[in-house]
Amino acid sequence: IARHLEAVERGDITRLMIFMPPRHGKSHLVSLHFPSEDLAKGFQRFVKDMSGKGFAGKGPGTAVGIGGAGKLCGKGFDLCIIDDPDGSDVSEQSKWAYRDSISARLKPDGAIVLVASRRPSDLASHLLQASNEGWQVLSFPAMNGGVPLDSQWYGVEKYRQIRMSIGEDNWQSLYQQVA
């Protein structure tokens, strides 16, 4: 994941989807640590520019944080992280928000990272089928060839319990990343 996020930062990847089961650290890594490091570097460049030349009219990058019902009107950005956009199936509002708000306000050399646990008919499925944006996909199923993704916290027995509790369809989408 880190190599792919570094490629996003360099501009080598402009569309990245990362799929992992719930409670496996995807939001922590992608939505918290990744932009924090990038923004810290940008802030250091901004401060250096200000101290050397006076006020720099524009910072080195733009970050905008909004909730699910938030608005992006009047804001542009270099990096958009979409973190678990759909609670269930993709809605018309999610499609509209991506098409008319996010992609319209992304700067020309900007990047989008979508991180989620899969669900049937989710925004990721819609984007992979409907767009020609060249998405790169990293998918981490809970169990791969009998080996657990996270043996420290979950392990085979805990995954078996979860599978029995949530049912096969939810297990396949949320934990195995099959939508």
Side-chain angles (χ1 to χ4, degrees), residues 78-154:
D78 302 295
L79 172 65
C80 177
I81 298 173
I82 303 170
D83 192 332
D84 271 332
D86 298 302
S88 56
D89 290 345
V90 66
S91 66
E92 288 303 313
Q93 183 178 359
S94 294
K95 291 183 211 176
W96 176 88
Y98 181 82
R99 184 187 67 235
D100 296 345
S101 199
I102 293 171
S103 57
R105 286 166 178 77
L106 184 69
K107 293 181 181 176
D109 57 349
I112 300 173
V113 177
L114 186 147
V115 57
S117 297
R118 298 301 307 270
R119 291 169 177 87
S121 304
D122 58 7
L123 180 61
S125 295
H126 170 73
L127 293 175
L128 289 170
Q129 292 170 3
S131 77
N132 60 353
E133 295 182 275
W135 289 93
Q136 292 196 31
V137 176
L138 296 178
S139 184
F140 298 93
M143 294 292 296
N144 190 0
V147 178
L149 175 62
D150 183 350
S151 59
Q152 179 183 5
W153 287 95
Y154 289 92

Side-chain angles (χ1 to χ4, degrees), residues 24-43:
H24 280 69
K26 62 190 174 297
S27 294
H28 191 76
L29 176 63
V30 177
S31 295
L32 181 63
H33 286 291
F34 173 58
S36 297
E37 183 177 319
D38 192 47
L39 290 171
K41 289 177 188 173
F43 182 71

Side-chain angles (χ1 to χ4, degrees), residues 44-66:
Q44 288 171 348
R45 287 192 302 264
F46 181 69
V47 170
K48 184 177 178 183
D49 287 347
M50 284 180 60
S51 63
K53 304 180 226 172
F55 180 75
K58 179 179 158 188
T62 307
V64 176
I66 61 166

